[in-house]
Amino acid sequence: MGKSTELARMGRLLQERYLVIQPPVDKVLDLQEVGWHEFLIYSALWAEEHLKVNWLWSSLPESSYLLAVIPRMRDELSEALGTKEPSGQPPSGPPPPTALQRFRNEPRHARPLIARGPAQFWDLASSLLNSIAEAANKPAVLIWDGLERMPLDSARNLFLDARNSASELPCRAVITAPLGLSFENYFGDIEERFRIIERLRALPCDPGTAGHDFLLSLAEARGASQVFSRELIEEAIRLSSGLPRQFLQLLSNAATQALVDGLERVQPESFARAVQRVTERWQYQLEPNDYEALELNDTERPSHIRARLLRIGALVEHDLPMGGLRIVVNPLVETLLQRRRQEAEHARA
């Protein structure tokens, strides 16, 4: 839905007032076996290496404890993680990894080391983040994106069993999580610990709504009106079901198909083939019991199956104008269901 794009945009908007720390946690840490300590320590190491706050240190008085604290904390973290080369041993091969490189090289290596002194590591990483923020003269904000890819069991351990640690983070944080958590019976316990929880939903895209106008503006920004008729753009909006990324995929594939067909403008036949191409991915993701669940009313679907279907985009959530929630089958997936019904009727005949 463009969540990461919006989080990056929010980070840019906050940069004037806050020190925004947005490390690629989902690219480095093992999301199946990770805890708040690993997230915090990795973020502190990443911030110390990547954020350009060194120039601020030169303006600090020599008596400032920051001049000594930050390098000392970096060295202690590196030594504790086993990233320093033993003294007296001649160097051989590549240089010894830094603490941040150890996370990147062996994401599972740090976990047992941190477990030996989690409180000390937590305090050290918190102090390092606070020192960097003080040097930058801005309050810090952590943005941890990509956690929505966590398996539900791992997410339960992080957001429920270990949720108390999250309240002890040294600064404000924006954290993503799997949508499937919100369908578990323990979700209320999670809500009690985290300050604000927003569930991502698709845009209402009926004509005359703000979502419809937004998708039209996306099409205009991409120059779609030059190669698409208004009818095909409206059909793409309907098939998108309020998912901007799906809408852009339809436009992109249709334009590419028209080029392959040697056409200057997208014709209905090219658009139909593009719809089929975008739909193909669900043919490999949906299992037989998924098809059966899609034919049911939403109240009859088991929560774990509903969560899976929402995660892969086979089901789409919308907010109702008067409040409440509506869950519908993705229009592209509906074409697969119709085809299965036709095949079943043909077999019976």
Side-chain angles (χ1 to χ4, degrees), residues 221-272:
R222 297 297 178 94
S225 59
Q226 302 175 21
V227 292
F228 285 83
S229 66
R230 179 58 183 261
E231 290 76 14
L232 287 180
I233 292 178
E234 291 289 346
E235 179 64 7
I237 291 176
R238 184 190 70 81
L239 292 174
S240 74
S241 195
L243 300 173
R245 181 173 295 172
Q246 184 166 302
F247 175 64
L248 294 176
Q249 286 176 336
L250 289 169
L251 296 183
S252 175
N253 278 271
T256 301
Q257 185 63 51
L259 287 174
V260 172
D261 296 339
L263 302 172
E264 295 183 357
R265 290 182 62 83
V266 177
Q267 300 299 321
E269 295 78 12
S270 302
F271 184 79

Side-chain angles (χ1 to χ4, degrees), residues 202-207 209 211-213 215-216 219 230-244 246-248 250-251 271-272 275 279 316 318 326 328-335 338:
L203 298 167
C205 57
D206 297 327
T209 62
H212 184 272
D213 295 341
L215 293 178
L216 278 180
R230 179 58 183 261
E231 290 76 14
L232 287 180
I233 292 178
E234 291 289 346
E235 179 64 7
I237 291 176
R238 184 190 70 81
L239 292 174
S240 74
S241 195
L243 300 173
Q246 184 166 302
F247 175 64
L248 294 176
L250 289 169
L251 296 183
F271 184 79
V275 170
T279 305
V316 182
H318 296 97
R326 179 181 64 180
V328 298
V329 177
N330 191 315
L332 296 182
V333 176
E334 182 63 36
T335 62
Q338 291 177 356

Side-chain angles (χ1 to χ4, degrees), residues 135-149:
N137 197 27
K138 295 179 180 179
V141 172
L142 287 168
I143 298 179
W144 289 337
D145 188 20
L147 275 66
E148 72 280 358
R149 301 185 184 92

Side-chain angles (χ1 to χ4, degrees), residues 184-322:
E184 301 296 333
N185 54 12
Y186 54 77
F187 183 63
D189 296 330
I190 295 178
E191 287 184 302
E192 291 178 0
R193 179 61 59 181
F194 292 88
R195 182 172 299 176
I196 299 174
I197 294 182
E198 294 286 350
R199 297 180 72 253
L200 290 187
R201 298 189 178 114
L203 298 167
C205 57
D206 297 327
T209 62
H212 184 272
D213 295 341
F214 173 72
L215 293 178
L216 278 180
S217 69
L218 283 183
E220 188 62 31
R222 297 297 178 94
S225 59
Q226 302 175 21
V227 292
F228 285 83
S229 66
R230 179 58 183 261
E231 290 76 14
L232 287 180
I233 292 178
E234 291 289 346
E235 179 64 7
I237 291 176
R238 184 190 70 81
L239 292 174
S240 74
S241 195
L243 300 173
R245 181 173 295 172
Q246 184 166 302
F247 175 64
L248 294 176
Q249 286 176 336
L250 289 169
L251 296 183
S252 175
N253 278 271
T256 301
Q257 185 63 51
L259 287 174
V260 172
D261 296 339
L263 302 172
E264 295 183 357
R265 290 182 62 83
V266 177
Q267 300 299 321
E269 295 78 12
S270 302
F271 184 79
R273 283 194 288 272
V275 170
Q276 178 62 32
R277 176 167 297 182
V278 177
T279 305
E280 283 176 354
R281 72 180 182 91
W282 282 288
Q283 292 177 311
Y284 303 100
Q285 291 180 309
L286 293 174
E287 300 174 358
N289 60 331
D290 292 331
Y291 285 104
E292 296 174 5
L294 288 169
E295 296 284 5
L296 300 174
N297 293 326
D298 187 62
T299 55
E300 299 173 342
R301 296 186 184 110
S303 60
H304 67 283
I305 294 181
R306 182 195 295 113
R308 164 181 157 74
L309 294 175
L310 283 166
R311 186 171 63 251
I312 66 175
L315 291 177
V316 182
E317 274 187 305
H318 296 97
D319 281 314
L320 295 174
M322 302 303 294

Side-chain angles (χ1 to χ4, degrees), residues 84-90:
K84 279 195 170 184
E85 189 173 2
S87 58
Q89 180 178 342

Side-chain angles (χ1 to χ4, degrees), residues 86-100:
S87 58
Q89 180 178 342
S92 60
T98 65
L100 181 61

